[in-house]
Amino acid sequence: MTIASLNELEQSIRNVPDFPKPGIQFKDITPVLADGRLFDATVQHLLADIPQGSVDKIVGIDARGFIFGAAAAQRLGVGFVPVRKKGKLPWETHEQSYDLEYGSNTVAVHTDAVTPGERILLVDDLLATGGTAAASLQLLSRLGAKIVGVRFVIELGFLGGRERLGPFDIRSLITY
Ligand code: AMP
């Protein structure tokens, strides 16, 4: 069976206008997840330039980053670490807050989730303003992680999020 193309993936992402609030074009990836061939292809494309043995762990961002990140980790045979919204992780955490248009958010990671020097691939479903990924990278920096790369299924390029992330190898499968 041939791997689904990026074009096929793009065709399968559902655009939902005005969700969760007016003016937002929500990129719904559930049709991709619901199709085994598309889900598998998405994970393969995310890992296309990540050779086996080049990362020690994959870190996924709450919540859809868990889906792609965990599948990618299993494919590479490495561990998975969740970056979660504040208050969800049971053990000792580092926290990092970041500003939203209105208010702020806080993400957290277990203090023992990554050991200094471990090679990390950060994965999320979508890069918008970059606040969530930037805060996650700050957490990983506090843990002494070596960032191999940052991967997104979707990037809203017009929001300029990647400018907030720093000089990492940042790639997205589909850019709007
Ligand atoms: P940001 O911190 O602005 O880069 O937002 C990234 C997070 O918000 C990602 O984890 C996405 O899941 C979610 N997100 C932001 N904008 C959208 C959108 N238009 N469609 C779907 N998810 C979005």
Side-chain angles (χ1 to χ4, degrees), residues 14-16 19-20 24-29 61-65 85 98-100 105 124-134 152 154 156 158-159 161 164-165:
R14 179 162 52 196
N15 192 66
V16 184
F19 181 89
I24 305 286
Q25 304 282 330
F26 193 89
K27 303 299 180 197
D28 177 17
I29 48 88
I61 304 177
D62 205 342
R64 279 156 295 186
K85 286 163 190 146
Y98 57 99
D99 289 330
L100 301 172
N105 257 355
D124 201 3
D125 67 322
L126 187 142
L127 173 63
T129 66
T132 315
F152 300 96
I154 302 165
L156 305 183
F158 54 89
L159 294 175
R164 291 174 72 174
L165 303 190

Side-chain angles (χ1 to χ4, degrees), residues 113-134:
V114 171
T115 51
E118 277 192 309
R119 298 163 302 167
I120 300 297
L121 182 71
L122 180 66
V123 172
D124 201 3
D125 67 322
L126 187 142
L127 173 63
T129 66
T132 315

Side-chain angles (χ1 to χ4, degrees), residues 10 16 35 63 66 89-90 135:
E10 182 172 356
V16 184
D35 181 315
F66 296 170
L89 287 169

